[in-house]
């Protein structure tokens, strides 16, 4: 995605690029399902679209946020859930798998338009914009990060609050779960990256060195 409403899909071998149209405003976030079958895009147009990776057609449209959707994340063990966070301060969980299975059972095709997944849970999660959501590798909970300087952990299915991580001095832009350790990483406008224990929710380490806002953090494939 870029500062445009179109999603760009690149072929890594031929370097060809295909543009996918559907959003009415800038795309802010992209996620790919663990199965590799779907791509989700979140946009300033308040909507989330899910695209078939093989067909490159929009297969699902999630509407319900009242402001720009800043982040989107698939559940990790299946394509059943989609988690979103937005500038309306809310996090929502969408029943994507249920909607796609119902469409397949009905025998409907892509010409019938995208399915409209229902919202399983919706929670006012923060005092300011939600900048990022990330689903844990075990699919049991997810994290949200906000301009209110807070990181919160939630039960994926109940949306009950599990923990609140405090320590950043300014808004938190990104959160990421380690794929192998019980550790969460966060990055912030305060120029730092923090590592948090998911056992006792304590800050394990603060990494300093950047001279500006740290807008993205990610673990290497094999963890820490």
């Amino acid at each position: 995605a870029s500062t445009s409403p179109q999603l760009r899909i690149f072929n890594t071998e031929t370097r060809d690029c295909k543009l996918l149209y559907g959003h009415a405003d800038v795309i802010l976030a992209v996620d790919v399902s663990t199965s590799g079958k779907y791509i989700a895009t979140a946009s300033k147009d308040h909507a989330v679209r899910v695209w078939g990776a093989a067909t490159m057609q929009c297969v699902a449209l999630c509407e319900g946020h009242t402001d720009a959707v800043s982040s989107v994340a698939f559940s990790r063990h299946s394509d059943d859930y989609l988690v979103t966070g937005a500038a309306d301060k809310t996090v929502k969980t969408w029943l994507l798998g249920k909607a796609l299975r119902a469409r397949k059972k009905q025998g409907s095709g892509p010409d019938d338009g995208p399915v409209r997944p229902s919202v399983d849970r919706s929670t006012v999660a923060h005092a300011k914009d939600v900048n990022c959501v990330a689903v844990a590798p075990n699919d049991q909970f997810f994290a949200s990060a906000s301009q209110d300087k807070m990181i919160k952990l939630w039960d994926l299915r109940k949306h009950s609050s599990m923990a609140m991580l405090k320590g950043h001095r300014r808004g938190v832009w990104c959160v990421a779960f380690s794929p192998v350790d019980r550790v969460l990483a966060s990055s912030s406008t305060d120029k730092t990256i923090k590592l948090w224990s998911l056992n006792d929710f304590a800050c394990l380490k603060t990494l300093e060195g950047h001279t500006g806002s740290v807008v993205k953090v990610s673990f290497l494939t094999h963890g820490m």
Side-chain angles (χ1 to χ4, degrees):
S2 66
T3 54
S4 74
Q6 291 82 44
L7 175 65
R8 287 168 166 79
I9 304 293
F10 290 90
N11 185 310
T12 56
E13 294 181 357
T14 65
R15 302 296 176 90
D16 290 339
C17 175
K18 184 175 180 62
L19 297 179
L20 304 186
Y21 295 85
H23 284 293
D25 208 334
V26 174
I27 294 173
L28 298 176
V30 178
D31 193 31
V32 179
S33 66
T34 303
S35 68
K37 294 180 179 179
Y38 304 106
I39 303 166
T41 52
S43 170
K44 274 190 174 182
D45 65 7
H46 307 181
V48 172
R49 288 181 177 268
V50 179
W51 311 81
T55 63
M56 295 194 185
Q57 292 182 320
C58 183
V59 298
L61 175 60
C62 303
E63 294 181 309
H65 283 291
T66 59
D67 209 332
V69 187
S70 48
S71 187
V72 59
F74 283 97
S75 49
R76 310 321 298 172
H77 286 187
S78 69
D79 301 327
D80 283 348
Y81 293 95
L82 199 63
V83 181
T84 57
D88 61 12
K89 309 172 188 177
T90 69
V91 291
K92 296 181 186 293
T93 304
W94 306 80
L95 297 174
L96 176 64
K98 182 179 179 180
L100 292 174
R101 287 190 293 272
R103 168 62 62 87
K104 186 176 181 179
K105 187 176 181 180
Q106 293 169 359
S108 303
D111 293 338
D112 296 306
V115 298
R116 307 284 180 127
S118 58
V119 176
D120 184 45
R121 295 282 190 277
S122 181
T123 303
V124 178
H126 291 273
K128 293 185 178 180
D129 299 14
V130 178
N131 290 329
C132 183
V133 292
V135 179
N138 64 5
D139 262 1
Q140 296 301 307
F141 53 97
F142 70 94
S144 61
S146 170
Q147 284 297 106
D148 65 6
K149 310 175 190 177
M150 300 293 182
I151 301 161
K152 294 185 179 181
L153 294 175
W154 308 86
D155 181 285
L156 179 62
R157 288 161 181 79
K158 298 179 181 179
H159 269 216
S160 55
S161 178
M162 297 174 59
M164 184 183 298
L165 310 182
K166 300 179 181 179
H168 282 295
R169 300 186 303 276
R170 300 189 69 179
V172 186
W173 280 111
C174 185
V175 283
F177 288 95
S178 165
V180 295
D181 300 295
R182 291 183 58 80
V183 172
L184 179 77
S186 60
S187 65
S188 168
T189 308
D190 66 12
K191 308 176 187 178
T192 70
I193 295 167
K194 289 182 181 292
L195 299 177
W196 308 85
S197 167
L198 296 177
N199 293 318
D200 59 8
F201 308 116
C203 181
L204 299 172
K205 193 174 185 64
T206 298
L207 306 178
E208 299 178 306
H210 286 288
T211 58
S213 299
V214 189
V215 298
K216 184 69 175 179
V217 63
S218 180
F219 283 93
L220 298 175
T221 303
H222 296 294
M224 294 179 69

